[in-house]
Amino acid sequence: MGRTRLTIHHLYADMMNLYGDRGNVIALRKRAEWRGISVEVLDVGLGEGLRPTGCDLFLFGGGQDREQALLASDLSGTKGADLRAIVENGGVVLGVCGGYQLMGHHYETLEGEKLPGVGIFDMYTRPGRPGEARLIGNVLARVRSPEGGDVHEIAGFENHGGRTELGETEPFAQVIAGHGNNGRDGAEGARRLNAYGTYLHGSLLPKNPWLTDQLLLNALRQVDENIELEPLDDAVELDAFSSMAERLRG
Ligand code: GLN
């Protein structure tokens, strides 16, 4: 795997990095490098276009309404159209919370401003109604359509005012403990092809190593469909997952 090179495109890295979402970049980079795969991380800011290299992963972290409003028009132009086309071609995207909300049709702020989204997922996000609290806390969720039939759970932390309603798009996971997309229907996140959206910060990937590897495999298989990843010693990562999962299950 020595010659394989993966590019991680970190969208709006300086603006969308709540609760250490940058840790997702670090987890992906390290788990690739530990297998001898070299990684380049490109920060993609306002006014900068997407430049896929053939073996790519796109990350879009969480942020407050203020940051979402600042970048929504930048995203709704060519960049959004390019990202949508990338997903249609099997490209890999992970959006967290504020980034996830902008992967739908629109995100409506508390002030009633409708920020356009990329439309990767058939969904929209509305603000909480008067008297509805923010959805905050630790989350444990079971992945709905597991790759290869393996049952997986994810653990993380959510803090959002927005309520996401899915249309035709499948949820990524089913809430075991916590609120998820809207605190009502048990759905957590969204999944379409190799695009994933979730409310889970934490950061998410360091303590959910199987998901990190799934994203890596999805990206690497764009250049070599038979590629496999050598197993790693995940004892520390799985300890972190279990201590949270057991607390929430109890
Ligand atoms: N601004 C969004 C909300 O509160 C997202 C916040 C976040 O990314 N944690 O709904």
Side-chain angles (χ1 to χ4, degrees):
M1 261 189 257
R3 276 176 298 121
T4 314
R5 188 175 178 78
L6 171 73
T7 305
I8 298 174
H9 305 254
H10 193 182
L11 304 182
Y12 310 106
D14 52 342
M15 302 167 79
M16 301 294 277
N17 178 34
L18 271 187
Y19 304 111
D21 284 340
R22 194 181 295 274
N24 294 331
V25 178
I26 298 168
L28 287 162
R29 179 198 273 277
K30 295 315 289 181
R31 293 184 73 82
E33 288 176 351
W34 287 333
R35 272 98 166 207
I37 299 160
S38 68
V39 176
E40 184 184 13
V41 179
L42 287 181
D43 286 359
V44 187
L46 288 175
E48 291 173 335
L50 299 176
R51 290 182 285 119
T53 61
C55 184
D56 304 284
L57 230 151
F58 297 83
L59 289 187
F60 194 1
Q64 308 285 9
D65 291 19
R66 184 176 167 277
E67 284 83 28
Q68 289 173 288
L70 285 171
L71 63 82
S73 64
D74 183 67
L75 189 65
S76 68
T78 323
K79 209 187 263 170
D82 288 349
L83 199 59
R84 218 167 32 242
I86 284 166
V87 170
E88 292 313 309
N89 283 321
V92 192
V93 182
L94 171 68
V96 175
C97 201
Y100 163 47
Q101 291 172 340
L102 290 174
M103 290 167 78
H105 298 305
H106 67 260
Y107 168 60
E108 185 177 340
T109 68
L110 207 52
E111 289 73 36
E113 189 186 356
K114 267 193 188 163
L115 305 177
V118 180
I120 289 169
F121 300 132
D122 181 21
M123 66 177 219
Y124 69 92
T125 302
R126 64 162 180 87
R129 302 206 171 90
E132 279 184 337
R134 287 184 72 80
L135 304 177
I136 306 176
N138 292 312
V139 183
L140 180 67
R142 182 170 300 112
V143 173
R144 282 262 307 222
S145 305
E147 228 96 335
D150 293 340
V151 176
H152 283 297
E153 291 173 344
I154 45 172
F157 173 76
E158 65 183 331
N159 181 356
H160 51 109
R163 268 71 174 166
T164 296
E165 304 289 345
L166 298 181
E168 292 297 307
T169 301
E170 286 281 302
F172 175 42
Q174 200 67 31
V175 168
I176 298 170
H179 304 288
N181 283 343
N182 49 46
R184 192 195 72 251
D185 63 13
E188 202 307 296
R191 166 96 192 260
R192 173 172 156 62
L193 303 172
N194 289 326
Y196 301 74
T198 176
Y199 270 109
L200 272 53
H201 302 277
S203 35
L204 172 72
L205 296 182
K207 62 181 168 308
N208 295 286
W210 69 269
L211 179 57
T212 319
D213 283 358
Q214 186 165 303
L215 294 169
L216 287 173
L217 267 183
N218 289 344
L220 294 165
R221 286 193 173 149
Q222 294 173 325
V223 287
D224 176 356
E225 62 186 33
N226 297 316
I227 205 162
E228 295 294 342
L229 292 173
E230 296 155 36
L232 297 172
D233 176 1
D234 292 336
V236 173
E237 290 84 347
L238 295 177
D239 256 6
F241 171 84
S242 310
S243 68
M244 179 55 66
E246 272 151 36
R247 226 199 291 169
L248 289 171
R249 251 190 274 277

